[in-house]
């Protein structure tokens, strides 16, 4: 796969976090990690239109660069460009795990064992997301935030599979490349995140200052 096309789509899917339903976003990322570009070209533009998710100019350019070469319908792609500003995130975040998470968090333990000291991985953090204004802990969702210097789509797919095995059917995994301008969703999550572990590339690729 052309690495520029792959990177364009990965960055687009990062920018769609918090705006696209979780059950769709994780599948789009899984297909990208597997190189299923034809499937993405058929489904992503149509899903954006169905769920009325408008793209700004930068996102639209990423969509064009990523999917037009793989046969996406030009009319559908061009119809995704919105006229209004992108809506700010509807979610709030907290470092505090909900009560239903055991005192020894088995997911964090597994992530630590998988990613600590790993090549191309920088910092690994997690936050808990809730719909803005929601009370109670039943709707809390883990959001994983990882910096990686290479292979971001495949690492995303790998970590999604890990979380699904551990019971999260619609995992939220944000693998962030170097020099990526973080959207508001990610900035809010990072502001209320805790460190899980650091990979081999951690020293120069921290999400939060030490």
């Amino acid at each position: 796969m052309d690495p520029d096309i792959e990177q364009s789509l990965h960055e687009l899917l990062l920018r769609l976090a918090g705006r696209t339903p979780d059950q769709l976003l994780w599948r789009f990322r899984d297909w990208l990690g597997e190189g299923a570009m034809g499937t993405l070209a058929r489904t992503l533009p149509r899903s954006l239109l169905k769920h009325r998710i408008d793209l700004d100019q930068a996102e639209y350019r990423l969509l064009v660069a990523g999917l037009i070469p793989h046969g996406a319908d030009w009319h559908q792609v061009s119809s995704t460009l919105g006229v209004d500003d992108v809506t700010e995130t509807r979610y709030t975040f907290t470092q505090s795990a909900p009560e239903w998470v055991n005192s020894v968090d088995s997911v964090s333990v597994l992530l630590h064992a998988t990613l600590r000291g790993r090549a191309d991985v920088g910092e690994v953090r997690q936050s808990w997301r809730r719909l803005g204004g929601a009370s109670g802990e039943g709707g809390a969702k883990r959001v994983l935030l990882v910096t990686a210097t290479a292979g971001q789509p495949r690492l995303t797919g790998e970590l999604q599979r890990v979380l699904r095995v551990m019971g999260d059917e619609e995992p939220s995994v944000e693998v962030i490349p170097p020099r990526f301008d973080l959207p508001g969703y990610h900035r809010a999550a990072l502001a209320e995140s805790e460190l899980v572990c650091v990979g081999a590339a951690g020293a120069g690729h921290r999400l939060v200052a030490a």
Side-chain angles (χ1 to χ4, degrees):
M1 185 192 307
D2 185 321
D4 291 335
I5 290 178
E6 183 181 56
Q7 195 63 24
S8 293
L9 285 172
H10 181 74
E11 292 191 11
L12 174 61
L13 295 178
L14 279 173
R15 293 174 67 115
L16 290 175
R19 295 156 54 196
T20 302
D22 293 331
Q23 66 267 29
L24 294 177
L25 188 59
W26 87 263
R27 288 190 180 277
F28 294 150
R29 288 171 164 168
D30 189 60
W31 287 331
L32 179 59
E34 294 293 328
M37 304 303 293
T39 303
L40 272 174
R42 290 192 303 272
T43 58
L44 179 52
R46 184 170 66 244
S47 294
L48 293 173
L49 295 174
K50 178 180 178 180
H51 292 275
R52 299 182 179 180
I53 302 168
D54 289 341
L55 303 184
D56 63 21
Q57 287 283 353
E59 293 163 349
Y60 174 71
R61 288 193 293 270
L62 292 171
L63 184 68
V64 169
L67 293 185
I68 290 299
H70 290 278
D73 182 275
W74 179 256
H75 176 71
Q76 289 183 353
V77 169
S78 62
S79 297
T80 63
L81 181 60
V83 295
D84 299 322
D85 292 336
V86 171
T87 304
E88 289 297 315
T89 180
R90 305 169 294 153
Y91 298 105
T92 59
F93 296 88
T94 179
Q95 294 184 31
S96 303
E99 291 183 357
W100 49 262
V101 176
N102 294 331
S103 57
V104 178
D105 181 3
S106 57
V107 174
S108 294
V109 171
L110 181 56
L111 291 170
H112 187 280
T114 302
L115 297 176
R116 181 175 180 270
R118 181 162 165 175
D120 298 327
V121 172
E123 196 172 30
V124 182
R125 305 186 71 88
Q126 67 179 3
S127 183
W128 292 91
R129 187 191 80 189
R130 293 176 175 83
L131 191 61
S135 59
E137 297 190 331
K141 183 171 185 59
R142 187 192 310 264
V143 176
L144 192 63
L145 303 137
V146 182
T147 52
T149 58
Q152 294 91 3
R154 284 170 291 284
L155 179 59
T156 302
E158 175 190 343
L159 294 177
Q160 286 188 153
R161 289 188 289 275
V162 169
L163 292 183
R164 282 176 58 81
V165 167
M166 299 298 290
D168 187 346
E169 295 184 356
E170 299 169 356
S172 293
V173 178
E174 309 299 318
V175 178
I176 301 166
R179 297 175 296 280
F180 179 67
D181 186 14
L182 293 174
Y185 176 87
H186 298 81
R187 293 196 302 271
L190 283 171
E192 293 292 338
S193 65
E194 63 175 355
L195 182 68
V196 176
C197 66
V198 178
H205 297 87
R206 290 195 176 275
L207 289 164
V208 176

